[in-house]
Every structure is written in structure tokens, then in C-alpha cells.
Amino acid sequence: MNEMLKIPLTDVSEAPPFRTRARQALGDDQLRRNFRTAMDSLMTKRLASMSDADERERLRELGNRTRARALSKLPELLERLEANLTRNGVQVHWAETTAEANAIVQQIAERHAAKLLIKGKSMVSEEMDMNHVLGAQGIDCLESDMGEYIIQLAGEKPSHIIMPAIHLNRQQVGTLFHEHLDEPYTTDVDELIQTGRRVLRQKFFEADIGISGVNFAVAETGTLLLVENEGNGRMSTTVPPVHIAVTGIEKVVENLRDVVPLLSLLTRSALGQPITTYVNMISGPRKAEELDGPREVHLVLLDNGRSQAFADSELRQTLNCIRCGACMNHCPVYTRIGGHAYGEVYPGPIGAIITPHLVGLERAPDHPSASSLCGACGEVCPVKIPIPALLRRLREENVKAPEAEPHLLRGQGSKFSARERWTWHAWQNLYTSPLLYRGFSYLATRFGRFTPGQLGPWTEHHSAPRPASRSLHELAREHLEKRP
């Protein structure tokens, strides 16, 4: 098992660029079949669970207002959350960067001489690259979510924020279990799940610390709410003597009443379920009279670029996300290239708008352009994030000239090209000056045969456009002259 935990993952800094990864994914027929099958199933389940269009839109509007209200009070709610959690016996830590968050977790682990951490599902821990960072210090992190456990065996990153191993089919999972766990090869899904549970069960009792994410943090009561279907989250947060929860600062809500519509939206949008099997509410460590639960609970609140998004009234809407993955399930680009093509923690439409805040536009310059702008992501978002509009905004930030008005977004102008800017200015002048336009049309029709046959990426899949020998204006004039 320890050897499995040390399987190296690809270093993002050494990974090929997005376009290269996307081309590779498009050439993988098995990957495309796996995603197409999975996405069709998820879209069907979501629609069935929200068949009443009026009720669905009312709930989406309520979810949008709830998240917007929480964000409008974010600093105040975070302070109230800390005060109530501290009163409940939870130790709250603040981290501006992932390095600071990892240092906090490492310090807690070292204080308890911990050698094995067992993790429930947590995308923020993926942001932190916790497994690698702690692994380098001799502290093993074992994933207990079945999807996360499978990709840990494979030495991969999650390809979906809800279903990390969605890019693999049962034959591929059966091969992984056979090779890494020395289990008989099988493609029976129930047998594979039972095998994973059998291997992980003892690890919950051996682990020194349990790690979890947080779906919602309730400021009013100082409660950490975690939803799941497998029970691993409950085991990770109650069996080890120490529990560390890690979450982004945007997950706070005002009160328990606000959680009700958000839970309904989350489960139905993500998996088409009315509710998940487990809804865990954690408000403190084990009390003296209680028989189970951790003796010590910590919460690490991570910023990691979220304050940057919060500072902009438009981009702030990115923080409304409840991490359901519905935008991915309906995205034609994500469905064809999968999650690994993006090369970052959050793929798909939500990844395209949140990743620039987390890592900077200079590291993900192509993400905002990895969209057809069909609008499906915005239509299905349970909290009505205007994803297409935010993608257009980020594209604009991407090509701003270096001398443009400074903006908080890191990497602004990463795709700026003086030649492209000059070309668009020339196009503007051409189409706003009748004299220039007529001169250009005359030359283009007379010398169209000299048009280049290769015009960059366009001609990879299209024929190069060639001007007609006569312009439309010329043909119209001739037609009018011939009329009796």
C-alpha cells in the first residue's frame, strides 16, 4: 500500500500545453466513448430529477440569491464562522496560499507524530497538492473516496470534480485493482466496490488523522456540512483521533436555512438524486460524554486567489459555485476532451473561470477560449452563474495590452499580441472607410488567386477562403444596368 501512495503524478509545470493535451484526448477513442456514455447518463438523471421546469427555475433563482447574499457579507460571515467554531472547540486556521495551508496541515501532523492521513473527498486538498507535499515529508495520504482511490492507484489527477475516475470504464478499473492490489481480475462493479471497501476499512482505524473537505460552512451555528454517498467521509471525520477540514473561504453561508435549497440543487444537479446518502454536520470535537468522534477538530480556510475574484463585482460571481459539476456534464468541449486535458485541478467551464484566479492567466491562457460559448453551462448552473459572460470577460483580460489599466487578475495580457492588435485596428479602419473598403474590394477580386493556401489553424480543417472574381456590389450594378 505504501508503494502505491508514492506513485508520482505529472508535474503541471512540465506538462504539455492545453492544445497539445486536447489533441491527444481527441485521438483517444476509448476516452471519448467513456465520457460520452457517462455524460449522457448524468444529463438524463438531472433532467428527470428536475422535470418541473417552473419549480427548477424558482429553485435556481433562490440558490442564486442565497449565494449572492452570503458573498455580499463574506468578511462578516467568515468572522462569525470563526467565532462560533472556536466557541464549539474547533481550531480555525487561515491560509492565504496553498503553501501556507500545507504548512498548517503538516504542523498539525508533526505535533501528533502522524504517519498516515486518510482523506475523504476534497477538491481543495487537490488545489493544495496535499498528497505530494506531505508525501515528501514522509506522511502518507490515502484517498478513501472510491473514485479518488482509483485514480490514486492509477497515479492520476481527478478528471471531474464529483466523479474523479469518470474517464475510466470498469474494465480499466478491474485491471488497476488486479495489478496494484493483487486481486482477481473482474469487471463486476459490485465486486470492485467491495474490494476497495475491504482494503480501505482497516486504514480508517490505522490513520492518525482524517482529512475532509466542506460543502458548506454555516456561520450562525459554527457547523461544517459535508455530503457524500459512500460513508467514507463520515469514517474519515469520526474514526481517526484528529480531523482536519480544508475549504475555500467562499463556502460559508449565513444560516442552516440557507443550506436547504443549496443541498437540493447540489445533489440533483450533480447526480440526479433528491439527496445524498449521508449529510454530515460537524460542530466540534468529541465531548466527554460521547463515545465516538475525533478528540481534536481543525478547519483550514484557504484563500488561494478567491479574494482576487471577490474584489471584482463581475468576476465575484465565480465564487457562487457549489461544485456540482453540471456545467461539465453539459459542455460539448469537456465531453470530448475530458478533464485531464485542462491540466489543472478544476476542468470544464467552471475550471475555465476559476483557474485564472487560482493560478493566474499566464498559466492557463487557453482555458477561457476552450469553449464554444453555446451557453449550456449557464443554462444548467444551479446557482445561475453567467459562465459564458465570465468567459468572454476573461478572454478580454487575456489580450489586454501591457500598458492597459492595471487589473487585479494575475497574468492579464498573457495572450496579448501586437500583430493581432494591429490586424484588428487595420480591419476596423478598412470597414469604417468607404474609400479604403472599395479599394480593398477591387484589389481582392482582381488578385484573389494569390491568396495563401495556409492561413494558420483555420486551414487545418477548412479550405482557405478565396475572394470571388467579382464583388457583390459589381454584380448588383451590372444587374441593374441590364434591367429594361
Side-chain angles (χ1 to χ4, degrees):
M1 183 66 66
N2 287 338
E3 292 181 2
M4 177 275 292
L5 292 172
K6 293 180 174 61
I7 293 176
L9 300 178
T10 301
D11 189 328
V12 172
S13 63
E14 299 176 358
F18 170 80
R19 291 171 185 252
T20 301
R21 293 191 299 266
R23 291 178 193 275
Q24 292 170 347
L26 289 171
D28 188 335
D29 292 337
Q30 183 62 61
L31 179 73
R32 296 182 68 181
R33 285 196 296 272
N34 291 353
F35 269 97
R36 183 71 273 164
T37 300
M39 297 300 104
D40 286 347
S41 173
L42 289 168
M43 287 191 291
T44 300
K45 289 178 180 178
R46 174 192 172 275
L47 189 59
S49 70
M50 294 182 168
S51 55
D52 186 332
D54 291 336
E55 187 263 351
R56 179 179 68 235
E57 292 310 308
R58 285 196 299 271
L59 191 58
R60 289 180 68 220
E61 184 62 33
L62 178 58
N64 174 267
R65 292 201 305 268
T66 301
R67 290 298 297 132
R69 175 161 44 84
L71 283 179
S72 71
K73 304 177 180 180
L74 185 59
E76 171 195 335
L77 292 183
L78 287 171
E79 291 180 1
R80 196 190 311 174
L81 175 69
E82 180 183 27
N84 288 328
L85 282 170
T86 302
R87 184 197 63 205
N88 294 344
V90 177
Q91 300 178 46
V92 180
H93 310 267
W94 299 84
E96 184 175 351
T97 65
T98 57
E100 291 179 12
N102 279 317
I104 292 168
V105 175
Q106 183 180 335
Q107 288 167 8
I108 298 170
E110 290 175 346
R111 190 162 65 244
H112 291 275
K115 292 299 179 185
L116 176 62
L117 276 60
I118 193 157
K119 290 172 57 187
K121 193 170 188 315
S122 166
M123 291 306 295
V124 169
S125 73
E126 295 289 345
E127 282 183 48
M128 297 163 57
D129 200 16
M130 184 188 294
N131 292 8
H132 272 172
V133 174
L134 296 186
Q137 304 302 317
I139 305 170
D140 287 337
C141 294
L142 176 62
E143 301 286 354
S144 65
D145 173 84
M146 189 58 63
E148 294 278 358
Y149 178 64
I150 289 169
I151 64 169
Q152 189 174 35
L153 285 175
E156 296 178 345
K157 290 284 191 181
S159 61
H160 192 284
I161 62 176
I162 297 295
M163 293 150 288
I166 199 169
H167 59 289
L168 300 174
N169 58 29
R170 58 184 180 175
Q171 290 81 11
Q172 292 167 312
V173 174
T175 300
L176 275 173
F177 278 23
H178 174 64
E179 292 176 350
H180 290 274
L181 304 179
D182 198 25
E183 293 284 336
Y185 175 79
T186 180
T187 59
D188 184 275
V189 174
D190 289 335
E191 285 187 33
L192 292 171
I193 291 174
Q194 292 307 317
T195 296
R197 286 178 175 170
R198 186 173 63 253
V199 171
L200 290 169
R201 178 64 59 169
Q202 186 59 31
K203 295 298 177 180
F204 288 112
F205 296 95
E206 296 175 4
D208 304 293
I209 294 176
I211 303 285
S212 79
V214 177
N215 290 99
F216 304 106
V218 184
E220 179 185 54
T221 57
T223 301
L224 307 179
L225 191 142
L226 177 65
V227 298
E228 47 150 340
N229 277 319
E230 300 173 14
N232 65 86
R234 182 162 294 184
M235 294 287 284
S236 297
T237 59
T238 58
V239 178
V242 178
H243 169 214
I244 304 174
V246 293
T247 189
I249 58 175
E250 82 282 12
K251 292 296 184 69
V252 65
V253 294
E254 188 165 5
N255 49 52
L256 284 169
R257 184 174 59 253
D258 289 342
V259 169
V260 177
L262 295 177
L263 272 184
S264 180
L265 285 165
L266 173 59
T267 56
R268 290 201 276 177
S269 299
L271 299 169
Q273 296 177 224
I275 195 170
T276 53
T277 307
Y278 300 93
V279 177
N280 307 292
M281 294 188 183
I282 302 166
S283 295
R286 180 200 305 187
K287 293 181 174 59
E289 68 276 11
E290 294 177 335
L291 300 178
D292 58 11
R295 299 186 186 93
E296 199 172 294
V297 178
H298 298 261
L299 172 66
V300 180
L301 286 163
L302 177 64
D303 187 325
N304 193 30
R306 289 164 172 83
S307 291
Q308 174 185 269
F310 179 77
D312 187 290
S313 59
E314 182 180 20
L315 297 175
R316 182 182 303 170
Q317 297 173 94
T318 303
L319 302 180
N320 282 344
C321 179
I322 59 175
R323 303 294 193 270
C324 69
C327 60
M328 301 180 191
N329 304 341
H330 292 74
C331 176
V333 176
Y334 174 85
T335 300
R336 285 160 179 77
I337 66 175
H340 290 153
Y342 293 82
E344 297 291 344
V345 172
Y346 298 102
I350 184 58
I353 63 173
I354 197 172
T355 297
H357 299 289
L358 304 184
V359 304
L361 269 172
E362 69 274 15
R363 190 161 129 180
D366 292 318
H367 285 208
S369 299
S371 169
S372 65
L373 295 181
C374 66
C377 51
E379 290 180 10
V380 301
C381 177
V383 290
K384 303 185 74 171
I385 301 174
I387 299 177
L390 297 181
L391 287 171
R392 289 192 294 269
R393 166 69 185 280
L394 289 170
R395 291 181 183 187
E396 178 185 341
E397 298 293 337
N398 232 341
V399 298
K400 277 187 175 178
E403 67 274 8
E405 181 181 348
H407 190 270
L408 289 175
L409 191 61
R410 285 176 294 161
Q412 174 187 329
S414 293
K415 296 188 72 175
F416 172 78
S417 166
R419 185 174 70 172
E420 182 179 352
R421 180 61 57 88
W422 180 89
T423 300
W424 283 114
H425 277 307
W427 182 90
Q428 179 185 20
N429 292 331
L430 175 66
Y431 281 84
T432 55
S433 169
L435 182 62
L436 285 176
Y437 181 79
R438 285 195 294 270
F440 176 79
S441 297
Y442 179 84
L443 293 174
T445 53
R446 271 59 180 179
F447 299 99
R449 63 183 180 278
F450 297 111
T451 302
Q454 298 295 322
L455 298 174
W458 172 263
T459 49
E460 290 181 13
H461 304 287
H462 304 82
S463 299
R466 294 186 181 277
S469 58
R470 311 288 295 280
S471 72
L472 179 62
H473 285 177
E474 290 176 326
L475 293 173
R477 279 196 299 271
E478 288 185 9
H479 177 73
L480 290 174
E481 290 172 357
K482 293 178 179 177
R483 290 178 62 181

